[in-house]
Amino acid sequence: MRFLRVAIDVPIPRLFDYIAPETDDAIERGMRVLVPFGARQQVGLIVDVLAETAISASKLKRARDVLRDTPPLSSEWLGLVQFCSDYYHRPLGEVALSAMPPRLRRPEPLQRGVDAWQITALGRESFAKARNRLGDDKRAILDFLLTHASGLHDELIARIAQGTGAIRDLARRGWIVMAERSAPDWRFVERTPISHQVVAIDAIAASSDRFTAFVLHGITGSGKTEVYLHAIHRVVQAGHQALVLVPEINLTPQLAHEFRSRFPGLPIVILHSGLAANERALAWLDAQTGQARIVLGTRMGVFTPFKDLRLIVVDEEHDTSFKQQDGVRYSARDLAVFRARALNIPMVLGSATPSIETFANAESGRYRLLTLPERARDGALMPTIRLIDVRKDLPQHGIADALIAALRLRIERGEQSLVYLNRRGYAPVMACGACGWVADCTRCSAHQVVHMAVRGKQTSDAPRAAHLRCHHCGLVSPPPRACPTCGNVDLAAFGRGTQRLEDTIVDLFPSARILRIDSDSTRNKGSWESMRNSIANDEVDILIGTQILAKGHDFPRLTLVGVLNADASLMAGDYRAPERLFSQLQQVAGRAGRAALHGEVLIQTRYPHAALYQSLVRNDFRGFAQQQLAERTSAGFPPSTAEAVLRAEAHEIEIANQFLRAAVLVAPADRESVSVFDPVPMTLTRLSGWERAHVLMQSGSRRALQNFIGEWVTSLHALPAQRDLRWHIDVDPLEF
Ligand code: ADP
Ligand code: ZN
Ligand code: ZN
């Protein structure tokens, strides 16, 4: 008898043993398996095949079926999810199953075309003998595979493709196997790299057979993508595979287009959560079988199985969207580093503004720094950055005179401008001037944002509020007709979002062609694409946008960027806020003057002497990062310490606090190397109706912190479960 140790997606940190199904077929770890669990059946992952178990066989259930529509996951992949489970303290089953495409968590075999298979010698022989004893489907499949070239009409192929049961059966008998598709015919469209790019490309190639984490620090427009393309070229030329992680779904189609046009004919797959279920599973499978040579993906792409992965690129490595904010709270960037080290391959962390953690690793020599200090395009210089002191140049309707004049000049010259305001909607607050009432979200500790339905030609009359929306939980409500507290009918919208800014700019420049780009205006599928086209075709004079515009876009005629309301983030309490602001401003400033036309950036601020702005004006990331690192070190923040939080969520804050206090009582005794702070509510205390509080842990030793959490989690799981309360550990948290 054989036993299977199976990881199942349940919130219990243990594995489950089953008796293997009665079959002569090989069963390996890494295979998916359908098992009974409670009253239901679940797809789990086999992590071990055993000859005996500690539990007596009479108490074990039998696994239903080993799923063979995909090959077993490699031990490298199993090692990755095991590490993720250990490091983030989540059950292995939860990590492993949520790392897979949802389609592979269902037992029905993956639908693939018949032409994905080929007939074996055994199949040929047996088919010749047993032809007349086979069912119609099987006979048609084998006929098709035998006479592949002659071609069957589409209808029949479609019908056979549905008959996956027949395919599975033939595969089990060994009559057919997954086809070794012929090596694709592809080429690399060359472009001569400039000197700094050459240095970077060569350094990466020189490390092709061992782990090195390269930090590619390149200013905006320095051609980081070109370095990736060349480094990847060397890898795929040698027959290997490469993985590229990017922060946003938004950017993947563009990057995919660029990669496909530089590697015509090369199989490149894209992996992100927006794909249809079957498509995503097939892309994953293509990577696993080695068919796909380049995988471009968002953070979940880090879990892609590969046959022969030899390079990992993390583009915009500083981006916080690499950290998953619910479920298994992993950092795709950090897992990518682990994976490269485990595989002993090089990796590249690219950014114009590396995270302070990565910067510190480059400074200490743990990572190797590669620098692209100038723009790649002939004649393209960094834009000039100027600060507008709004205490002197008092803005009318939010826009200072100096910025208005600069916008006017661009319109006269026929160039494009971008006005950047990282706040969508019409106005961030609706309030009563008489009694001070503010429209708050009922489910979150946040104000509701005023949104207008459509942009109409505006006079400066009272706003026509269309609805109020919470930007945290999405709750939409109609604007009240009168103040619910005092009955005042004169409710006002305070502050300015992109919609209101658009109205202002339309008033200021009535004949200009104006386009607002934020996640509201680009919500419909394809609208962002068509907007990008109209910018490229010079059909826009002034762009108004949020950070959706800050990244990765190349608009050659854009020469002016105006930045509004940056000060709001300058004052934020979070120790990572300056880093994020610097990065955002550097990114958006980088949109100006990408081609031959010189760019100018105007930032409106009340604090022109702030160190952050001064570093920005000097284009001095290094100076900024060193100062941040020094501040964080003296304050005891990461990366000088390692952090984690135990977070509790309940419908009443007191329940969350009670749990945390009880949790602290059962915390391990090692308080010397790990500091445990008192429970505090999170900054955004209420989210979607959950009140949230947490306990912060810090340690100078990552290992000590890990041991501490490991022990603590065991005791926490042993605490009696409470209705209406949920808790989790967040390692290396970004939210406080
Ligand atoms: P980054 O991602 O570093 O901001 P990009 O990769 O977008 O920069 O490159 C900036 C611009 O420079 C792009 O238009 C790109 O086509 C161009 N470019 C990059 N490398 C070269 C090169 N070696 N020769 C000519 N143009 C280049
Ligand atoms: Zn009132
Ligand atoms: Zn809300």
Side-chain angles (χ1 to χ4, degrees):
M1 213 187 269
R2 280 182 297 180
F3 301 94
L4 308 178
R5 187 151 289 165
V6 179
I8 301 173
D9 184 7
V10 287
I12 309 168
R14 51 164 288 203
L15 301 166
F16 300 87
D17 290 353
Y18 288 89
I19 302 167
E22 281 173 72
T23 156
D24 296 336
D25 296 332
I27 301 179
E28 289 173 50
R29 61 197 294 258
M31 286 177 162
R32 289 149 55 236
V33 62
L34 185 65
V35 293
F37 189 83
R40 291 174 305 150
Q41 306 212 10
Q42 291 234 12
V43 171
L45 182 70
I46 301 172
V47 296
D48 239 328
V49 182
L50 309 161
E52 52 191 272
T53 73
I55 308 163
S56 89
S58 62
K59 291 205 176 118
L60 293 178
K61 290 185 187 157
R62 189 179 288 277
R64 290 293 298 266
D65 201 2
V66 175
L67 307 175
R68 295 170 193 277
D69 55 334
T70 61
L73 290 155
S74 66
S75 39
E76 186 266 328
W77 191 89
L78 293 168
L80 173 68
V81 289
Q82 182 68 58
F83 171 78
C84 183
S85 159
D86 293 343
Y87 187 81
Y88 295 104
H89 300 277
R90 300 296 286 220
L92 179 62
E94 185 192 11
V95 174
L97 274 298
S98 64
M100 289 183 198
R103 180 61 187 78
L104 297 184
R105 306 172 60 168
R106 299 213 319 261
E108 306 80 45
L110 197 57
Q111 306 246 318
R112 264 174 295 178
V114 175
D115 56 359
W117 298 89
Q118 76 191 35
I119 190 161
T120 60
L122 174 68
R124 253 172 234 277
E125 220 171 276
S126 320
F127 186 39
K129 286 185 208 145
R131 177 180 190 98
N132 293 330
R133 292 197 298 276
L134 291 176
D136 283 353
D137 274 352
K138 283 181 190 148
R139 202 162 53 230
I141 290 165
L142 294 170
D143 267 334
F144 172 76
L145 293 177
L146 276 173
T147 58
H148 205 30
S150 73
L152 290 173
H153 56 87
D154 291 350
E155 200 183 315
L156 183 59
I157 295 176
R159 191 174 67 78
I160 296 169
Q162 302 304 318
T164 41
I167 289 178
R168 204 148 53 113
D169 203 43
L170 290 173
R172 200 179 324 217
R173 293 188 198 180
W175 291 18
I176 61 174
V177 290
M178 284 298 284
E180 290 276 333
R181 274 173 273 183
S182 54
D185 193 15
W186 62 275
R187 66 199 172 85
F188 179 51
V189 178
E190 262 296 348
R191 167 149 84 173
T192 316
I194 60 169
S195 62
H196 293 289
Q197 288 171 334
V198 173
V199 173
I201 295 161
D202 288 348
I204 298 163
S207 176
S208 66
D209 60 350
R210 62 184 178 275
F211 169 70
T212 310
F214 292 98
V215 179
L216 183 62
H217 176 214
I219 60 166
T220 52
S222 59
K224 291 185 286 295
T225 314
E226 198 61 33
V227 173
Y228 306 153
L229 287 164
H230 277 89
I232 291 169
H233 176 220
R234 308 229 180 153
V235 169
V236 294
Q237 200 175 28
H240 313 302
Q241 295 172 291
L243 168 65
V244 182
L245 297 177
V246 291
E248 277 183 89
I249 291 187
N250 258 330
L251 294 177
T252 47
Q254 248 175 296
L255 202 67
H257 175 75
E258 189 162 1
F259 272 66
R260 292 211 164 102
S261 61
R262 293 298 294 278
F263 293 103
L266 190 71
I268 298 175
V269 301
I270 306 178
L271 271 172
H272 59 70
S273 55
L275 294 181
N278 218 54
E279 207 183 343
R280 184 166 149 195
L282 290 176
W284 154 285
L285 199 58
D286 272 353
Q288 189 184 4
T289 55
Q291 175 66 21
R293 306 293 292 284
I294 302 176
V295 172
L296 295 177
T298 50
R299 93 182 146 236
M300 43 164 266
V302 76
F303 291 111
T304 314
F306 286 89
K307 193 173 177 200
D308 182 21
L309 179 62
R310 294 292 285 271
L311 177 68
I312 305 177
V313 172
V314 182
D315 189 27
E316 311 286 3
E317 68 85 28
H318 63 278
D319 200 289
T320 50
S321 72
F322 283 122
K323 180 85 160 49
Q324 169 113 338
Q325 298 290 4
D326 53 26
V328 183
R329 289 169 167 77
Y330 66 92
S331 156
R333 176 198 61 201
D334 296 347
L335 287 182
V337 176
F338 168 83
R339 201 168 182 187
R341 186 178 283 124
L343 283 165
N344 206 23
I345 59 171
M347 71 169 319
V348 183
L349 298 159
S351 177
T353 52
S355 65
I356 299 301
E357 283 82 356
T358 297
F359 175 80
N361 279 324
E363 289 279 283
S364 73
R366 274 165 51 92
Y367 294 176
R368 248 189 82 191
L369 184 65
L370 302 168
T371 312
L372 304 178
E374 53 197 43
R375 287 196 154 172
R377 274 210 201 127
D378 232 10
L381 298 172
M382 282 301 273
T384 311
I385 301 180
R386 281 201 291 137
L387 301 167
I388 303 177
D389 186 344
V390 292
R391 292 168 308 179
K392 295 186 186 127
D393 184 352
L394 219 60
Q396 298 284 317
H397 308 293
I399 309 180
D401 282 345
L403 180 53
I404 294 177
L407 287 166
R408 185 159 290 132
L409 185 68
R410 294 323 185 284
I411 294 176
E412 283 164 18
R413 285 199 208 144
E415 296 169 8
Q416 288 173 334
S417 308
L418 160 63
V419 182
Y420 177 78
L421 174 61
N422 199 19
R423 192 155 69 191
R424 67 198 166 83
Y426 183 83
V429 184
M430 173 170 262
C432 168
C435 76
W437 171 86
V438 177
D440 283 330
C441 176
T442 50
R443 310 170 49 187
C444 304
S445 25
H447 301 322
Q448 293 252 71
V449 177
V450 187
H451 280 257
M452 296 296 169
V454 278
R455 182 189 136 206
K457 192 71 184 75
Q458 272 288 292
T459 53
S460 40
D461 294 349
R464 28 152 205 155
H467 62 270
L468 299 175
R469 199 189 304 160
C470 173
H471 282 190
H472 297 282
C473 72
L475 182 75
V476 174
S477 41
R481 289 180 198 285
C483 173
T485 340
C486 76
N488 173 16
V489 291
D490 231 7
L491 297 178
F494 289 95
R496 182 173 287 95
T498 45
Q499 276 190 325
R500 191 175 213 169
L501 178 63
E502 182 181 16
D503 288 351
T504 307
I505 292 183
V506 167
D507 282 344
L508 283 169
F509 303 100
S511 59
R513 296 162 303 172
I514 293 161
L515 182 63
R516 172 170 59 89
I517 298 186
D518 54 32
S519 53
D520 297 318
S521 73
T522 56
R523 184 150 297 153
N524 295 331
K525 208 172 173 186
S527 57
W528 182 202
E529 189 65 39
S530 74
M531 286 181 181
R532 221 169 28 234
N533 286 337
S534 42
I535 303 168
N537 297 336
D538 236 343
E539 294 159 14
V540 180
D541 299 312
I542 302 177
L543 284 163
I544 296 162
T546 55
Q547 60 176 347
I548 199 174
L549 261 180
K551 278 177 224 159
H553 305 292
D554 221 352
F555 306 125
R557 296 200 58 78
L558 187 89
T559 61
L560 172 70
V561 172
V563 177
L564 309 186
N565 201 39
D567 289 347
S569 320
L570 196 64
M571 297 297 129
D574 177 358
Y575 64 82
R576 283 196 178 84
E579 156 180 14
R580 281 200 285 265
L581 177 61
F582 190 94
S583 157
Q584 225 178 70
L585 293 179
Q586 179 104 332
Q587 292 279 2
V588 70
R591 296 313 109 202
R594 306 261 300 176
L597 300 169
H598 187 66
E600 185 181 31
V601 179
L602 299 178
I603 301 174
Q604 297 190 175
T605 175
R606 297 177 61 80
Y607 312 97
H609 301 295
L612 187 149
Y613 290 133
Q614 290 300 323
S615 305
L616 201 68
V617 168
R618 290 195 306 271
N619 187 24
D620 180 17
F621 170 76
R622 211 185 142 72
F624 167 76
Q626 273 168 339
Q627 175 250 334
Q628 283 294 308
L629 189 55
E631 267 180 33
R632 286 214 209 158
T633 304
S634 70
F637 289 133
S640 69
T641 56
E643 283 185 344
V645 297
L646 167 64
R647 205 172 280 142
E649 303 173 325
H651 292 299
E652 281 167 52
I653 191 76
E654 192 37 39
I655 304 223
N657 281 330
Q658 259 170 25
F659 168 80
L660 292 174
R661 283 194 296 268
V664 171
L665 292 179
V666 299
D670 174 20
R671 301 299 172 82
E672 219 149 274
S673 42
V674 179
S675 323
V676 178
F677 294 81
D678 287 332
V680 286
M682 290 182 67
T683 311
L684 184 74
T685 309
R686 194 167 63 247
L687 178 64
S688 297
W690 290 90
E691 303 276 351
R692 311 175 312 153
H694 62 206
V695 164
L696 173 68
M697 296 158 256
Q698 282 185 332
S699 176
S701 153
R702 194 165 285 281
R703 173 163 309 228
L705 182 63
Q706 278 295 328
N707 293 340
F708 183 90
I709 302 171
E711 236 182 280
W712 199 6
V713 164
T714 309
S715 338
L716 290 175
H717 278 294
L719 289 179
Q722 275 183 62
R723 271 187 55 224
D724 251 21
L725 178 117
R726 50 191 202 191
W727 62 268
H728 62 260
I729 297 281
D730 190 351
V731 180
D732 305 325
L734 295 181
E735 213 195 336
F736 292 94

